[in-house]
Amino acid sequence: MLNRRTLAGLIASAAMTPSLGLAQGGTPPAPQGGTPPAPHGAMPAAPTDRRRRSLDADVAFPQAGRRAWASQVPLLRIGLLGGENEADRMGRYGAYRDLLASTFGVEARLFPAADFGGVVQALGARQIEMAGMGSSGYAAAWMDSDGNVEPLLVSEEADGSIAYIAAMVVRRDSGITNLEQMRGKSLAWADPNSTSGYLIPRFQLRAAGIGVESGQYFSRTGFAGGHEQGVIAVVQRQYDAAVTWASGQGAEDEGFTRGNLRAMVDKGLLDMRQMRVIWRSEPILNGPLTVRRDLPESFKEDMRLFHLGLPKAHPALYRQIERGAGTGYREVRHSDFELFVRMRQEEAAARRRRS
């Protein structure tokens, strides 16, 4: 069982495992083509377990042409998480869908879900082939599908790290400047399947001795329906605070380098000068690009190469789907997300005890 005193360290270590290399605040990335150094005090990854990166010199975007796997995957269905209005989601991913289709000679379609759970269920029901997910969503899909999902890659941040943060934001004119002043105030979660908008903040706040159920420390809590909706609810004074995701790097008053806040700033939906970040989580391992495990291995490899090569071959498109700047992608394994499976299991057990 996960205990409160060790939880923060476990979360941080999930983003700093030797096989993965860097996490938030780690050592600088290796030069292009090199292998990133392991965190301080960690053994380097075994040479046989190379984790390819977009920055590697031998990584290239795949050449166009219909593949043998197309007979099994004639239609590539891509799930899009909720948390952003549908028009913006479809607009951001339209060119991405078209590039996948033209590169591999198959039809590709986008399937926007109303919420995070929609993508989890679609993967379990084999209604989509691929989706970008948070770590908690991946864990839920792995549990829901009896292990029939596989993580391929995670995003790297601007400094080459592979972690981001959950951030609690309030209106600057609310007078709230720290977490203690949130006692008796209202808090919006993003979505029950969100890592940074629900799972990690709940675990870390509980670890700090803060009751996270409605009416305990906070006057009330509720689900906003997604990250963008949660922040808008704060702007519109429907909640005093919301938790959302951000890279944690770069200028806070610009929404950081990447994440929901940055995306809202770029779309003109948010002025960070009117907002304040009052709490940040420990580093969280970036969520993976996820595919169904039962699909051909050659399909999975092409999806890896497509995304690994995307930042160099199509930098503007890469920034568009990533909601900001980073250094590309890095390969991952299921073992990197086992902590999140354990946390999901703990959360489910806690719900059963409450009911």
Side-chain angles (χ1 to χ4, degrees), residues 252-264:
E252 181 179 311
D253 61 1
E254 296 177 2
F256 303 100
T257 56
R258 196 173 75 91
N260 179 54
L261 297 173
R262 180 55 182 261
M264 293 182 69

Side-chain angles (χ1 to χ4, degrees), residues 123 129-134 137-138 141 148-153 287-292:
L123 280 166
E129 282 68 51
M130 180 171 69
M133 311 185 75
Y138 168 78
N148 191 39
V149 294
E150 181 176 342
L152 299 184
L153 306 157
L289 176 68
T290 303
V291 298
R292 296 202 328 259

